[in-house]
């Protein structure tokens, strides 16, 4: 078997039954063999470190939720450590169930386990239907379900789990209530991450992700960074600040914006950011999951930049 024929080794934020596994299944497009061979990791950090170490070639991790915003664990793991590259994204509609071991009566539930990003999305339903139940944080929604299904060791400090329908099925739990999310339109965005190498070819419906680090904190500092996008007609789709850990008040900025690194306006923006930032971490250009084409204004097309560059070249002789 040649290197070209070697199957891509996938991993994902596990265990089995997570929404992340559902996202990977969508990415693999019904390739059951590849999905079955994929390695689950207990945390996002472990999944990304496995890519860095070469244990797997690509991993699927959550990065943003339409209700709770960015996933801090993923953003922080991508902001630091050896650089990685996003190869693509997947959008997964989020549907939660309340699951418990067979025979559990809802009236006996005093604790409910789930992930910290899931709980705020069902808080309203819980307040109405299980007001006496306390929240118990778990590493993932599937981990909450898995612990309930375990037959050995200590029982978890909760009687039910908020998880994906897939997790309830995988771990043989009864579903006590379906569609318990407070927002029926909730969607989570997942990204496929690999080691640095080739960037996906432009499709005309692309997105780029970068992390920007300031030289220092000063008035107008963020505006100086954002002007690099505004003056080139680039639309940002996500902007979040995250602490660098260096000192109190030290933050970096994680940004998604429309366009591909091969676009002239995007290239000029990256040059501008590199000029005014202490550091710029390029995390990839990749096709948008919604495939919505990026529209450039007449003055920011590749042709407009080429004309302007030719004019400057003529002045310089």
């Amino acid at each position: 078997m040649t290197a070209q024929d070697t199957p891509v080794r996938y991993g994902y934020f596990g265990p089995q039954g997570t929404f992340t596994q559902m996202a990977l299944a969508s990415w693999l497009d019904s390739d059951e063999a590849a999905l079955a061979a994929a390695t689950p990791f207990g945390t996002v950090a472990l999944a990304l470190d496995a890519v860095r170490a070469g244990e797997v070639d690509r991993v699927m991790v959550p990065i943003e939720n339409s209700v709770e915003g960015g996933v801090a664990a993923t953003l922080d793991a991508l902001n630091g450590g050896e650089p990685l590259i996003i190869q693509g994204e997947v959008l997964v509609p989020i549907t939660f169930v309340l699951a418990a071991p067979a025979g559990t009566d809802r009236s006996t539930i005093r604790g409910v386990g789930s992930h910290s990003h899931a709980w705020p999305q069902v808080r309203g339903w819980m307040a109405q239907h299980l007001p006496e139940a306390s929240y118990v944080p778990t590493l993932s929604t599937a981990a909450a379900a898995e612990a309930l299904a375990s037959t050995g060791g200590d029982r978890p400090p909760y009687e039910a789990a908020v998880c994906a329908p897939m997790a309830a099925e995988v771990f043989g739990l009864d579903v006590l209530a379906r569609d318990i999310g407070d927002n029926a339109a909730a969607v989570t965005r997942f990204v496929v991450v690999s080691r640095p190498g080739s960037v996906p070819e432009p499709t005309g419906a692309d997105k780029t992700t970068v992390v920007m680090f300031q030289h220092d904190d000063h008035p107008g500092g963020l505006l100086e960074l954002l002007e690099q996008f505004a003056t080139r007609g680039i639309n940002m789709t996500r902007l979040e600040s995250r602490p660098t850990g260096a000192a109190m008040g030290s933050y970096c900025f994680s940004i998604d914006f429309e366009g591909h690194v091969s676009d002239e306006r995007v290239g000029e923006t990256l040059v501008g950011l590199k000029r005014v930032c202490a550091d710029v971490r390029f995390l990839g250009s990749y096709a948008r999951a919604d495939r919505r084409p990026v529209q450039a204004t007449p003055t920011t097309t590749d042709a407009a930049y080429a004309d302007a560059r030719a004019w400057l070249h003529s002045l310089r002789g």
Side-chain angles (χ1 to χ4, degrees):
M1 179 179 290
T2 66
Q4 188 174 4
D5 296 327
T6 303
V8 176
R9 299 169 300 165
Y10 282 94
Y12 63 95
F13 171 42
Q16 291 185 10
T18 57
F19 290 106
T20 315
Q21 187 186 28
M22 294 169 60
L24 181 59
S26 175
W27 175 265
L28 293 174
D29 193 22
S30 301
D31 186 341
E32 297 295 336
L35 183 62
T39 304
F41 294 94
T43 67
V44 168
L46 286 174
L48 295 177
D49 283 345
V51 174
R52 292 184 173 108
E55 297 173 21
V56 292
D57 301 311
R58 296 183 175 188
V59 292
M60 180 75 74
V61 292
I63 195 170
E64 183 183 12
N65 179 266
S66 61
V67 176
E68 285 295 291
V71 178
T74 302
L75 296 177
D76 293 344
L78 288 173
N79 295 350
E82 293 181 28
L84 296 170
I85 293 292
I86 297 173
Q87 295 290 334
E89 64 177 14
V90 176
L91 301 178
V92 176
I94 301 302
T95 302
F96 294 108
V97 299
L98 181 70
T104 302
D105 190 297
R106 213 155 84 177
S107 64
T108 66
I109 296 174
R110 295 293 176 264
V112 179
S114 197
H115 188 261
S116 59
H117 252 252
W119 187 254
Q121 299 181 61
V122 300
R123 188 179 288 126
W125 189 94
M126 287 294 169
Q128 180 180 354
H129 298 279
L130 288 173
E132 302 301 322
S134 60
Y135 164 55
V136 180
T138 60
L139 289 176
S140 67
T141 56
E146 184 179 32
L148 286 174
S150 176
T151 57
D154 297 332
R155 301 292 294 174
Y158 53 87
E159 294 76 34
V162 170
C163 59
M166 180 182 181
E169 180 180 347
V170 167
F171 297 112
L173 301 179
D174 283 355
V175 174
L176 305 185
R178 297 184 181 275
D179 298 324
I180 64 175
D182 299 331
N183 186 340
V187 174
T188 294
R189 175 176 161 240
F190 298 84
V191 289
V192 178
V193 182
S194 73
R195 290 182 295 280
S198 61
V199 175
E201 292 294 320
T203 66
D206 303 295
K207 182 184 293 182
T208 295
T209 300
V210 298
V211 185
M212 306 179 301
F213 298 83
Q214 293 179 288
H215 285 286
D216 54 64
D217 183 23
H218 61 274
L222 178 58
L223 177 60
E224 185 179 29
L225 305 184
L226 298 184
E227 283 177 339
Q228 303 301 321
F229 299 93
T231 57
R232 295 172 179 89
I234 290 182
N235 182 47
M236 292 181 293
T237 59
R238 182 184 59 85
L239 166 61
E240 297 188 55
S241 62
R242 293 297 304 163
T244 64
M248 182 66 71
S250 177
Y251 285 82
C252 60
F253 300 95
S254 179
I255 293 184
D256 296 332
F257 59 91
E258 295 180 341
H260 192 278
V261 66
S262 64
D263 298 334
E264 290 282 356
R265 64 187 177 281
V266 172
E268 291 286 344
T269 299
L270 293 177
V271 169
L273 290 173
K274 186 64 176 177
R275 180 176 54 81
V276 300
C277 291
D279 190 24
V280 179
R281 174 166 287 207
F282 174 73
L283 293 179
S285 291
Y286 47 94
R288 293 174 59 126
D290 59 12
R291 299 299 188 265
R292 189 172 72 188
V294 177
Q295 300 296 329
T297 64
T299 58
T300 60
T301 62
D302 284 2
Y305 274 98
D307 288 344
R309 191 173 293 107
W311 175 76
L312 178 61
H313 181 73
S314 69
L315 295 180
R316 291 173 171 174

